[in-house]
Amino acid sequence: MLSTRSLGCRGGGVGGSWGLPGVATPRIPDRQRIAQDIRDKISSGEYGPGFKLPSLREMSAHYGVSAEPVRSALLILQAEGLVEGHQGKGVYVAGDHPASD
């Protein structure tokens, strides 16, 4: 009988690190990676309520991707209620917003 050790598994079980030689680990899609990074910044307080997120262009350059994965990540976060988009003004962390001019 094969054990996880004989298969080269480190950790085993669900979510374990397989570490099989020559087998690529599944890559996390850019939109999910970006959404998780922004989630982490919100939960750490780096991006507080009302914080205006960088522009689409700035985030695309920062993450090294086209605008589409950034847009998709923002839609995910908006569906989760973490950010709010305001036409022509930008995307803000949900919560209190600075007064409009």
Side-chain angles (χ1 to χ4, degrees), residues 24-53:
T25 311
R27 192 167 90 74
I28 298 172
D30 290 330
R31 69 182 177 276
Q32 290 178 348
R33 177 177 57 86
I34 295 164
Q36 187 59 53
D37 186 54
I38 296 170
R39 263 189 223 101
D40 291 345
K41 289 178 179 181
I42 292 170
S43 66
S44 74
E46 183 177 343
Y47 290 179
F51 178 85
K52 182 178 179 184
L53 271 60

Side-chain angles (χ1 to χ4, degrees), residues 53-72:
L53 271 60
S55 71
L56 196 63
R57 180 178 292 158
E58 291 169 327
M59 284 197 277
S60 295
H62 174 77
Y63 292 108
V65 297
S66 68
E68 189 53 38
V70 174
R71 197 175 291 117
S72 295

Side-chain angles (χ1 to χ4, degrees), residues 5-28:
R5 184 170 301 267
S6 67
L7 290 175
C9 179
R10 294 182 299 226
V14 177
S17 173
W18 285 96
L20 294 173
V23 177
T25 311
R27 192 167 90 74
I28 298 172

